[in-house]
């Protein structure tokens, strides 16, 4: 007699694996219909998942594709949580040239201290 594979609630597993800070946040995402389990939309946080299932869900500004490797017993430290899953779509390296830089003071943005001193000197010269 073989035992069935261990199963856990979807919202609880997402919380155990540290994808969300609270279990309520993970339940809210699942009940909003934003999570897919094996390409099927899931609308209930109590949906049972186990090892071998593939989850697809949005997190921050990207879509995560995760394969469940193990069911966690508790919400432990990050290294323990990372052992619960395999990332099927690892993050891409960010090119530093594509990251927008804050605007310099050219009539937009906040002036630097040096720019501010120049502005103050110009104002005092015009008042005299």
């Amino acid at each position: 007699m073989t035992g069935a594979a261990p199963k856990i609630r979807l919202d609880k597993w997402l919380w155990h694996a540290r994808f969300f800070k609270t279990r309520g946040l993970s339940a809210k995402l699942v009940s909003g219909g934003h999570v897919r389990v094996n390409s099927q939309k899931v609308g209930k946080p109590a949906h049972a998942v186990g090892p071998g299932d593939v989850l697809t869900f949005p997190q921050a500004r990207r879509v995560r594709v995760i394969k469940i490797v193990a069911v966690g017993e508790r919400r432990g430290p990050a290294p323990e949580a990372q052992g619960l899953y395999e990332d099927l779509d690892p993050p891409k390296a960010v090119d530093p040239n594509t990251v927008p830089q804050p605007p310099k003071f050219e009539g937009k943005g906040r002036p630097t201290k040096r720019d501010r001193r120049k502005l103050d000197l110009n104002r005092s010269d015009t008042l005299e």
Side-chain angles (χ1 to χ4, degrees):
M1 190 159 94
T2 61
K7 297 281 186 173
I8 189 171
R9 288 176 56 113
L10 177 57
D11 63 334
K12 197 171 184 178
W13 187 87
L14 287 169
W15 177 64
H16 278 202
R18 293 187 164 267
F19 286 108
F20 297 98
K21 193 170 186 175
T22 64
R23 188 168 161 195
L25 286 174
S26 64
K28 188 175 181 181
L29 184 81
V30 175
S31 61
H34 302 293
V35 179
R36 291 178 181 263
V37 177
N38 299 326
S39 301
Q40 300 293 318
K41 272 192 176 182
V42 176
K44 294 186 177 182
H47 184 82
V49 294
D53 288 336
V54 177
L55 307 180
T56 307
F57 59 93
Q59 186 183 29
R61 294 184 179 210
R62 57 182 250 198
V63 175
R64 303 291 303 259
V65 180
I66 304 296
K67 181 177 180 182
I68 298 176
V69 175
V71 177
E73 297 292 323
R74 65 185 183 115
R75 186 173 197 257
E80 183 179 314
Q82 290 169 352
L84 298 178
Y85 63 90
E86 176 186 342
D87 197 352
L88 299 179
D89 188 25
K92 295 162 185 70
V94 177
D95 185 18
N97 297 331
T98 61
V99 177
Q101 298 295 321
K104 296 291 181 186
F105 184 71
E106 294 169 0
K108 55 186 172 185
R110 186 174 176 162
T112 63
K113 190 171 187 177
R114 182 179 179 193
D115 293 334
R116 183 71 187 163
R117 286 181 181 152
K118 285 180 185 177
L119 288 171
D120 288 341
L121 285 175
N122 289 341
R123 282 195 198 132
S124 65
D125 290 343
T126 59
L127 294 176
E128 293 176 355

